[in-house]
Amino acid sequence: ITQASLNIAAAASTKVYDGTVSVAATPTYTGTIYDAYTLSETYDTKNAGTGKTLTPVITFTNASDAANYAVTTQTANGTITQATLTTGLTGTVEKVYNGTKEATLTSGNYSALSGVVGSDAVSLNIATSGTYDTKNAGSGKEVTVSGLTLGGADAGNYQLATTLSGNVGTITQASLNIAAAASTKVYAGT
């Protein structure tokens, strides 16, 4: 009994980065399969990118059935798009009125990144300067920062909005002390 010929071809696929090489697409095949099996395919790596190699895989329910087939495979190209991370402004960005809209932020003014897969090494490179919506004193003022970037070994698998706004600003009134100057005048009824 010679082996049955079986050609399995991967199907092109696109997915959002999820930290795995798994693919939702199902390969196609030519030939006849007489035994119980499952077909799947995998990306060459878990990382985001285009032109990634998809390799088809056949798994027989009874592993010994694999010896009954001469299997050839055809790869396909696939894409893994970057996953989107989110963060927000938190706490209070505070200063005393100084006539400008400049705001100074710290790492404590940013919430943790949301959407990181598993234990991926990705971090937020914060912007320490931003702007208030107006120069005037008040609370609950909108603060806007730009130039946010990601760092870490897995940063290339993610995207993040580079500009962020939140109503976390407070500009307190500047203290002003006015002192009268000594003066002398001739009575004028005023």
Side-chain angles (χ1 to χ4, degrees), residues 100-124:
T100 72
K101 297 189 335 182
E102 296 171 358
T104 301
L105 295 91
T106 68
S107 59
N109 292 123
Y110 295 89
S111 60
L113 287 172
S114 176
V116 176
V117 174
S119 60
D120 276 0
V122 62
S123 59
L124 175 65

Side-chain angles (χ1 to χ4, degrees), residues 13-92:
S13 182
T14 298
K15 74 170 185 174
V16 175
Y17 174 78
D18 64 2
T20 72
V21 296
S22 65
V23 183
T26 302
T28 58
Y29 68 90
T30 54
T32 304
I33 304 175
Y34 300 98
D35 302 293
Y37 68 94
T38 56
L39 285 175
S40 62
E41 58 188 63
T42 60
Y43 284 96
D44 51 353
T45 69
K46 69 171 188 164
N47 297 321
T50 59
K52 299 183 66 62
T53 302
L54 292 164
T55 303
V57 176
I58 185 167
T59 305
F60 289 96
T61 303
N62 182 351
S64 63
D65 290 335
N68 295 320
Y69 299 89
V71 179
T72 58
T73 59
Q74 293 177 327
T75 61
N77 286 330
T79 300
I80 299 178
T81 60
Q82 293 173 316
T84 300
L85 297 182
T86 58
T87 186
L89 293 179
T90 188
T92 303

Side-chain angles (χ1 to χ4, degrees), residues 148-168:
L148 299 175
T149 60
L150 296 172
D154 295 305
N157 296 314
Y158 297 95
Q159 60 184 344
L160 175 75
T162 59
T163 301
L164 185 62
S165 296
N167 295 328
V168 296

